[in-house]
Amino acid sequence: MADSDWTCDANDAVHLTLVQPGSEKPQTLSTFHPQFTYPIFGDEETIFGYKGLIIRLRFAAHDLRPHVHISYDEKFKAVADAAPVDLNKILRDWVPESAFTSLPDYEKAVQGDANAKDFVPPGKLVHSYTTKGRNYEIWAGSLADPAVRAILRHAQIFVSFFIEAGTPLELDDPEWTLERWTVYFVYEKVTPPTPTASQYSVVGYATTYRWWFYKRDPLEKPTPKNDPLPLPEVSVSQLPSRLRIAQFLILPPHQSSGHGTHLYTTIHNACFDDPTVEELTVEDPNEAFDALRDTVDYHILRPEFLKHKVNINPNPYGLEKIKKRPRLVPTAAIIPTKLLHDIRASYKIASTQFAHIMEMFLLSQIPPKHRTAGGANITRLLIKKHNAEDENDRRYYWWRLLVKQRLYKRSRDVLIQLDPSDRIQKLEETVTNVEEGYESLLKAFNAREESLQARKEEAEELIEAKEAAGEGSANGSSARTKRKYTVIEDEEDDDGDGEEAAKRTKV
């Protein structure tokens, strides 16, 4: 019999299930498959030796207490070197030993968990929100807290299943190292199905860590000190640092419901409020997270850019036409570099990320018909350059030059190895790709804003109609209703903005 008859897709074989107590036995809240299994079962993501294989990983919805249950229709009988994969042996490297109890014992433990009723997520409640009529909370706690580590230890297998190239955290490090880490848990508050069940059900989580940031006033002259040893102890939280997002995951049943936006915004707010944090960075983001991050950061920075009327100066050399411009690009004459630097520092956004958001905003300020997406004549623009008759054409020319300048600085070591003509062509192609990515994000952002505005107006009309019908009251209940509508509508947006939003070129 062919090997293929005994080989199955690991992604299909693994079933991930969230459960909570039921009237007689645990009931299923949701079941979903992993996106990846190669860290566990190899690059081919296949399992040999079984027919009808199901590897069911159950997790208690509140504390993620795990359980492994393996079933199959037939198992291959070992012949010479051909033997079925030892599933228990492989999974023991990824799941705690306690997960390998019998199914009856696990179900009994979930049903009779005496601590479930009073369970509260570890750490501190940092954000609450409502979306689609359901209530959610985000809790943040230090990895030095044993309760935080206990839940994260159970959740770590999700990293291998859903975060490409992700690796579980080392939870047995010294306490001073663990203190650098903060874990954010997203929970839904549900109606307990039984009197002893928990009111919390996990939605997702993120981890961040502090990366020491060397900061010195360039005007301050270094001076040696003869402080006595040992030096006084300094908490990690008191040192200047960058905050870096390491893992970020919303479980599949809860995706496309705005939870990623709330989670990222909560982390950014914590960074913004902490005077010791210089900026927020992300470790190896994928395209989906890039789209989410771009959308949220654009939503944060756009009002600031509009307030300061940030735009491209179409005449950096003055109003007089110049046949041959100077060799150096006068960046400070094209955009307000000092103002932009201050905005970036104030909102603690990393330089490269800020550049993406700034470029996207500046592009949005150029009327569509003067951009490639609107049919702008690039060949004519490259001939006219800064001497184009229309100031928006000149703005677009300078915009492309600013992006090329950033791209060249970022990839200089590679570009200088190319012939000048190839270098120019490569930059032109890359700028076009970057622009296409920005256009996709802007289109999605504008559609989102229009939808929110329409829903807001609809809610206001409904309130006005009720007031006209005499349903309002003098105690201000209608005003409270209006605020509630606004918050709920704002929070029903998707985590990302679809596949189109994820096309931004990573440069």
Side-chain angles (χ1 to χ4, degrees):
M1 189 172 291
D3 288 350
S4 59
D5 294 335
W6 293 95
T7 300
C8 64
D9 187 314
N11 294 340
D12 292 336
V14 175
H15 295 235
L16 305 171
T17 303
L18 295 179
V19 300
Q20 64 180 4
S23 57
E24 297 181 359
K25 65 178 184 177
Q27 62 182 24
T28 297
L29 286 176
S30 58
T31 297
F32 46 99
H33 294 282
Q35 188 173 355
F36 313 107
T37 51
Y38 66 85
I40 301 174
F41 296 109
D43 292 342
E44 298 298 321
E45 296 186 321
T46 58
I47 299 173
F48 173 77
Y50 303 87
K51 289 184 178 181
L53 175 66
I54 296 178
I55 303 172
R56 191 175 299 280
L57 293 175
R58 291 181 174 87
F59 299 87
H62 67 295
D63 64 359
L64 295 178
R65 180 202 298 255
H67 179 258
V68 176
H69 182 259
I70 300 171
S71 63
Y72 47 84
D73 296 332
E74 293 184 61
K75 185 176 181 179
F76 183 80
K77 293 182 179 180
V79 178
D81 294 334
V85 172
D86 189 337
L87 297 172
N88 281 319
K89 181 179 179 181
I90 288 178
L91 291 172
R92 273 182 164 80
D93 291 334
W94 301 90
V95 184
E97 185 65 32
S98 59
F100 292 89
T101 59
S102 68
L103 180 57
D105 286 345
Y106 178 75
E107 292 183 341
K108 181 179 179 180
V110 171
Q111 287 290 103
D113 187 349
N115 299 319
K117 180 181 178 181
D118 300 321
F119 172 84
V120 176
K124 178 182 178 182
L125 176 63
V126 292
H127 180 52
S128 302
Y129 60 98
T130 300
T131 183
K132 299 180 181 177
R134 298 162 71 172
N135 300 316
Y136 299 88
E137 295 178 351
I138 298 179
W139 293 71
S142 168
L143 198 54
D145 181 347
V148 172
R149 288 202 305 278
I151 295 181
L152 188 62
R153 194 181 301 276
H154 294 161
Q156 293 258 59
I157 194 169
F158 290 129
V159 174
S160 302
F161 284 149
F162 294 104
I163 301 179
E164 190 167 9
T167 55
L169 302 184
E170 177 54 62
L171 302 181
D172 297 322
D173 281 340
E175 184 170 343
W176 70 267
T177 299
L178 297 176
E179 287 176 352
R180 298 169 54 211
W181 291 86
T182 300
V183 184
Y184 291 82
F185 294 110
V186 185
Y187 275 93
E188 180 183 1
K189 291 197 73 174
V190 300
T191 301
T194 67
T196 59
S198 173
Q199 62 178 328
Y200 286 97
S201 177
V202 72
V203 170
Y205 77 97
T207 60
T208 68
Y209 66 98
R210 299 173 66 95
W211 190 268
W212 183 64
F213 179 77
Y214 177 68
K215 183 179 180 181
R216 182 178 69 84
D217 186 345
L219 301 178
E220 180 183 351
K221 184 178 180 181
T223 56
K225 294 183 180 180
N226 296 316
D227 294 336
L229 295 174
L231 297 174
E233 290 188 10
V234 178
S235 171
V236 172
S237 62
Q238 296 174 320
L239 297 173
S241 63
R242 288 186 176 93
L243 192 68
R244 183 168 295 178
I245 297 175
Q247 299 164 339
F248 192 100
L249 174 64
I250 302 298
L251 295 178
H254 299 281
Q255 290 175 3
S256 298
S257 297
H259 303 300
T261 297
H262 281 280
L263 182 54
Y264 177 80
T265 303
T266 299
I267 295 172
H268 183 268
N269 288 341
C271 174
F272 186 82
D273 294 336
D274 189 337
T276 67
V277 175
E278 296 297 323
E279 63 183 24
L280 177 64
T281 62
V282 181
E283 182 177 308
D284 298 329
N286 60 21
E287 286 188 351
F289 185 84
D290 271 334
L292 166 66
R293 183 188 185 194
D294 286 347
T295 302
V296 178
D297 285 346
Y298 187 75
H299 183 79
I300 292 170
L301 292 174
R302 184 173 179 270
E304 194 73 10
F305 292 152
L306 290 173
K307 182 176 73 174
H308 292 284
K309 299 180 179 179
V310 173
N311 207 339
I312 293 173
N313 176 10
N315 305 306
Y317 302 125
L319 296 177
E320 183 180 353
K321 288 188 176 181
I322 301 175
K323 292 183 179 180
K324 186 176 181 180
R325 64 177 178 82
R327 181 179 177 82
L328 297 177
V329 178
T331 307
I334 300 173
I335 54 175
T337 52
K338 174 63 169 63
L339 171 64
L340 292 170
H341 175 272
D342 292 342
I343 293 174
R344 187 203 69 78
S346 174
Y347 283 89
K348 302 183 179 182
I349 294 178
S351 299
T352 300
Q353 174 66 6
F354 184 84
H356 291 150
I357 304 303
M358 179 197 69
E359 290 167 2
M360 186 160 62
F361 174 80
L362 292 175
L363 181 66
S364 74
Q365 298 306 102
I366 301 171
K369 69 177 183 179
H370 297 276
R371 304 177 340 219
T372 300
N377 190 325
I378 298 299
T379 302
R380 186 171 182 273
L381 184 67
L382 293 176
I383 295 173
K384 289 284 188 177
K385 298 183 179 180
H386 56 282
N387 284 324
E389 287 79 7
D390 193 296
E391 69 173 23
N392 285 310
D393 287 336
R394 298 197 296 275
R395 282 196 175 95
Y396 185 53
Y397 166 75
W398 289 118
W399 181 86
R400 291 180 67 88
L401 205 60
L402 286 169
V403 177
K404 290 177 190 176
Q405 178 179 252
R406 178 179 64 80
L407 295 174
Y408 182 80
K409 288 180 179 178
R410 184 174 180 84
S411 306
R412 182 179 182 277
D413 291 343
V414 175
L415 291 172
I416 59 175
Q417 299 179 37
L418 302 177
D419 293 333
S421 59
D422 293 337
R423 188 186 311 157
I424 292 172
Q425 182 181 354
K426 186 65 176 177
L427 281 172
E428 287 291 342
E429 292 173 354
T430 307
V431 168
T432 299
N433 290 337
V434 170
E435 184 178 354
E436 288 176 356
Y438 289 160
E439 291 285 6
S440 296
L441 286 167
L442 287 171
K443 181 180 179 181
F445 180 85
N446 291 335
R448 170 181 176 272
E449 291 298 297
E450 290 173 3
S451 175
L452 288 175
Q453 183 62 30
R455 283 183 283 176
K456 181 179 178 182
E457 291 174 358
E458 182 182 346
E460 290 174 349
E461 289 174 1
L462 177 62
I463 293 167
E464 291 173 359
K466 287 185 176 181
E467 290 176 344
E471 295 182 22
S473 64
N475 63 7
S477 62
S478 61
R480 287 196 297 273
T481 303
K482 183 175 180 180
R483 287 195 295 271
K484 181 179 179 182
Y485 265 98
T486 302
V487 170
I488 291 176
E489 295 297 332
D490 282 351
E491 289 162 351
E492 288 187 353
D493 306 321
D494 292 345
D495 291 333
D497 293 285
E499 294 181 2
E500 289 297 318
K503 290 183 178 178
R504 191 193 77 188
T505 304
K506 286 299 295 175
V507 288

